[in-house]
Amino acid sequence: MFELPKLKYEYNALEPFVDAKTMEIHHSKHHQGYINKLNAALESHADKKGLSLSELLLQKDSFDSQLQKAVQNHAGGHFNHCLFFDIMSPTPGEMSQELSAQIEADFGSKDNMIEEFFNAAASVFGSGWAWLVKDENGKLTVQKTSNQDTPLTDSQAPIMGIDVWEHAYYLKYQNKRPDYIKAFMSVLDWQKVSDNFRA
Ligand code: MN3
């Protein structure tokens, strides 16, 4: 059974950038909801219960269509939210030299990468995510996914991502998604993103 990870900070710790009410609902209702639905889907698939979250996502194409859809949406939702909550911090750290050098190699500069990430997040149509993704050679790209699809595959893994579903920002920012993206960048823990890059 999958369980909701505890946050490393209080619901109000990211104020004023991300408000406490949004954090509470997002974590305790939305993230918990994906976990509940994932666990429910696995109830009838006892042979899959020993698989890790990553294994479920990487193997889902071999599952029956009902479980495949449940894993895509709810294991994806669980995985994506774990990363998202983990890379925000009330005391964001600095980017490593290693990540900084890779960003310069792949985007020319940190500003260019942030601009591309910002534009990706702002232009997701409907509900979805924008990502910074590392491939098997360490190369970085900005990507977008719809719904709870995740960029995790055998050959690439997300190291940073922003949830642009309206539930992530509507209470405080309403239709002003760009303001929310800017706020997210203010609480983004580059040290954690650097750890994910190194992993
Ligand atoms: Mn969400």
Side-chain angles (χ1 to χ4, degrees), residues 26 81 163 167:
H26 202 174
H81 285 84
D163 185 346
H167 69 225

Side-chain angles (χ1 to χ4, degrees), residues 1-5 32 35-44 46 48-53 56 78:
M1 294 283 277
F2 290 98
E3 288 180 10
L4 183 66
Q32 181 71 63
I35 294 167
N36 293 347
K37 286 175 184 159
L38 173 61
N39 286 334
L42 290 170
E43 274 305 309
S44 50
K48 303 295 189 297
K49 279 189 183 176
L51 296 178
S52 71
L53 189 56
L56 283 169
H78 181 20

Side-chain angles (χ1 to χ4, degrees), residues 26 30-31 34 77 81 84-85 128-129 148 163-165 167-168:
H26 202 174
H30 290 278
H31 190 173
Y34 297 114
H81 285 84
F84 174 69
F85 289 128
W129 294 73
Q148 293 300 344
D163 185 346
V164 295
W165 284 55
H167 69 225

Side-chain angles (χ1 to χ4, degrees), residues 20-97:
K21 192 72 187 167
T22 295
M23 283 300 302
E24 181 184 350
I25 296 171
H26 202 174
H27 182 252
S28 71
K29 304 288 190 244
H30 290 278
H31 190 173
Q32 181 71 63
Y34 297 114
I35 294 167
N36 293 347
K37 286 175 184 159
L38 173 61
N39 286 334
L42 290 170
E43 274 305 309
S44 50
H45 295 82
D47 59 317
K48 303 295 189 297
K49 279 189 183 176
L51 296 178
S52 71
L53 189 56
S54 301
E55 287 169 337
L56 283 169
L57 286 163
L58 295 175
Q59 296 176 25
K60 70 174 165 39
D61 291 351
S62 68
F63 301 163
D64 70 60
S65 62
Q66 196 184 358
L67 182 62
Q68 189 179 327
K69 200 69 196 168
V71 166
Q72 181 179 353
N73 289 336
H74 305 124
H78 181 20
F79 180 88
N80 293 344
H81 285 84
C82 285
L83 176 65
F84 174 69
F85 289 128
D86 193 45
I87 59 171
M88 292 190 287
S89 169
T91 54
E94 297 286 312
M95 186 187 288
S96 68
Q97 288 294 333

Side-chain angles (χ1 to χ4, degrees), residues 104-173:
E104 279 182 30
D106 293 329
F107 298 92
S109 70
K110 182 183 173 188
D111 284 350
N112 287 352
M113 186 278 287
I114 288 173
E115 186 181 358
E116 192 176 329
F117 181 81
F118 186 98
N119 291 338
S123 65
V124 170
F125 183 72
S127 297
W129 294 73
W131 306 96
L132 184 63
V133 178
K134 174 183 130 172
D135 77 7
E136 55 201 332
N137 301 313
K139 187 179 164 57
L140 298 168
T141 50
V142 167
Q143 299 181 17
K144 298 192 268 191
T145 59
S146 294
N147 303 313
Q148 293 300 344
D149 292 358
T150 178
L152 180 72
T153 68
D154 287 322
S155 60
Q156 66 172 29
I159 64 169
M160 157 179 152
I162 181 171
D163 185 346
V164 295
W165 284 55
E166 284 188 343
H167 69 225
Y169 62 88
Y170 205 83
L171 286 180
K172 184 175 172 77
Y173 295 100

